[in-house]
């Protein structure tokens, strides 16, 4: 009987040691091999669970220098749920990643996550393609970096307030002369992020808990809060059609608003990002005569950023 029990204990120990996690995507598994995480270093559709379950940080940025894999992107992160200790994930690196909307919640089981980095390279190369990211189950999140494109960020769990979270949505872009060849500017690219939240009105007005949130944007990015995001190209184009003139300006700027979007708030920032002017429910123009000459950024409805030169 003792011998039988001993054999059972040994067998159970061997089974425990051999526990594996399925990795369906070969390119994901190859990345784990390149990072020396997958200890058997073989593309076989699995990784030892012991190799990943205590990993605190998964960092693809350290894969720089490896050839791009444009013809075979990572599209399936099955297995990531067994990275149970994961606190930081950085998927920005020289691996082509494409996340469909049906897989937008692929990180929601990693409940210990605090930081997520999924941004395009500063040079403009697109290495990560996704239009939607669902992080609604991640109560401990502190930082999300999704710079670079049109996004929908779902962070609307009514049981969490995500207090103190920082969301980076900055984008690269270019400004070009307007179509009438005047000296004014128009946006040739404006990235927009719709942030799906539990209470959009409180978020816009920065009421609790949204007063603890930090949204990092720039002149080429905009954002909105909604309970039902719709990032259709038509809506983005409507937002981007708002413009200001004349530009450069001496005192008074007016608004070109072909789709008659209601303008209820305007904020003016200097080149250092400091807020220098606020206007609530402005009419068709605002007076900037008090400002010194220089470069400014105009934020309309806390969403759209425009560049302005004050003479």
């Amino acid at each position: 009987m003792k011998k039988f029990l001993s054999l059972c204990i040994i067998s159970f120990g061997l089974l425990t040691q051999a526990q594996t996690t399925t990795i369906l995507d070969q390119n994901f598994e190859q990345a784990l091999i390149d990072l020396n995480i997958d200890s058997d270093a073989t593309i076989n559709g699995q990784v030892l669970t012991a190799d990943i379950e205590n990993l605190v940080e998964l960092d693809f940025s350290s894969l720089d220098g490896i050839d791009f894999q444009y013809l075979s992107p990572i599209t399936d992160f099955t297995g990531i749920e067994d990275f149970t200790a994961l606190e930081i994930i950085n998927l920005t690196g020289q691996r082509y990643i494409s996340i469909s909307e049906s897989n937008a919640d692929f990180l929601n089981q990693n409940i210990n996550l605090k930081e997520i980095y999924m941004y395009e390279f500063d040079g403009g190369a697109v290495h990560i393609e996704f239009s939607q990211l669902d992080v609604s189950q991640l109560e401990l999140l502190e930082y999300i970096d999704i710079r670079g494109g049109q996004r929908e960020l779902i962070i609307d769990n009514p049981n969490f307030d995500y207090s103190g979270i920082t969301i980076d949505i900055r984008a690269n872009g270019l400004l070009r002369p307007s179509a009438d060849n005047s000296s004014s500017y128009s946006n040739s690219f404006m990235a927009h992020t719709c942030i799906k939240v539990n209470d959009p009105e409180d978020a816009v007005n920065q009421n609790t808990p949204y007063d603890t949130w930090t949204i990092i944007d720039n002149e080429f990015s905009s954002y909105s809060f909604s309970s039902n995001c719709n990032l259709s190209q038509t809506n983005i184009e409507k937002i981007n059609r708002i413009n200001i003139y004349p530009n450069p300006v001496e005192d008074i700027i007016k608004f070109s608003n072909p789709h008659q979007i209601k303008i209820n708030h305007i904020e003016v920032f200097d080149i250092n990002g400091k807020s220098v002017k606020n206007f609530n429910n402005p009419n068709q123009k605002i007076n900037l005569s008090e400002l010194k000459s220089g470069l400014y950024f105009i934020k309309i409805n806390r969403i759209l950023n425009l560049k302005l030169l004050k003479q």
Side-chain angles (χ1 to χ4, degrees), residues 21-35:
T21 291
T22 298
I23 306 293
L24 295 180
D25 192 301
Q26 290 187 358
N27 294 300
F28 181 27
E29 187 173 5
Q30 184 61 59
L32 297 179
I33 291 171
D34 294 339
L35 289 168

Side-chain angles (χ1 to χ4, degrees), residues 105 108 132-139 141 144 152-162 165 167 194-200 203 209-210 213 225-229:
D105 61 350
N108 260 338
Q132 188 180 88
L133 180 64
D134 184 343
V135 294
S136 57
Q137 302 304 313
L138 305 182
E139 182 180 11
L141 271 182
I144 306 175
E152 177 182 346
L153 179 64
I154 301 173
I155 183 166
D156 62 346
N157 192 320
N159 298 313
F160 306 151
D161 61 18
Y162 311 98
I165 194 170
I167 303 171
C194 179
I195 306 174
K196 186 178 180 183
V197 295
N198 199 38
D199 193 326
Y210 302 102
W213 290 26
F225 296 105
S226 176
S227 59
N228 184 23
C229 287

Side-chain angles (χ1 to χ4, degrees), residues 72-215:
S72 51
I74 300 174
T75 60
D76 190 333
F77 278 89
T78 295
I80 195 72
E81 65 277 2
D82 280 356
F83 288 67
T84 52
L86 201 62
E87 296 181 6
I88 302 171
I89 186 167
N90 187 345
L91 296 180
T92 296
Q94 295 198 30
R95 283 293 187 276
Y96 179 25
I97 296 171
S98 181
I99 305 297
S100 67
E101 288 190 9
S102 62
N103 291 321
D105 61 350
F106 74 105
L107 293 175
N108 260 338
Q109 294 186 59
N110 300 95
I111 59 174
N112 289 308
L113 270 176
K114 296 179 180 179
E115 300 177 23
I116 297 174
Y117 299 86
M118 291 176 59
Y119 60 90
E120 297 169 9
F121 276 8
D122 291 337
V126 179
H127 298 154
I128 299 181
E129 291 183 351
F130 67 99
S131 61
Q132 188 180 88
L133 180 64
D134 184 343
V135 294
S136 57
Q137 302 304 313
L138 305 182
E139 182 180 11
L140 302 181
L141 271 182
E142 299 173 357
Y143 195 96
I144 306 175
D145 190 338
I146 52 172
R147 288 175 284 164
Q150 314 295 352
R151 314 285 196 214
E152 177 182 346
L153 179 64
I154 301 173
I155 183 166
D156 62 346
N157 192 320
N159 298 313
F160 306 151
D161 61 18
Y162 311 98
S163 181
I165 194 170
T166 296
I167 303 171
D168 192 341
I169 61 158
R170 290 173 293 169
N172 292 314
L174 297 172
L175 292 172
R176 53 177 171 78
S178 59
D180 61 4
N181 294 318
S182 68
S183 58
S184 65
Y185 292 92
S186 63
N187 291 283
S188 61
F189 176 76
M190 177 70 75
H192 184 78
T193 299
C194 179
I195 306 174
K196 186 178 180 183
V197 295
N198 199 38
D199 193 326
E201 185 174 351
D202 276 352
V204 168
N205 293 321
Q206 295 186 305
N207 295 330
T208 304
Y210 302 102
D211 57 340
T212 69
W213 290 26
T214 300
I215 312 294

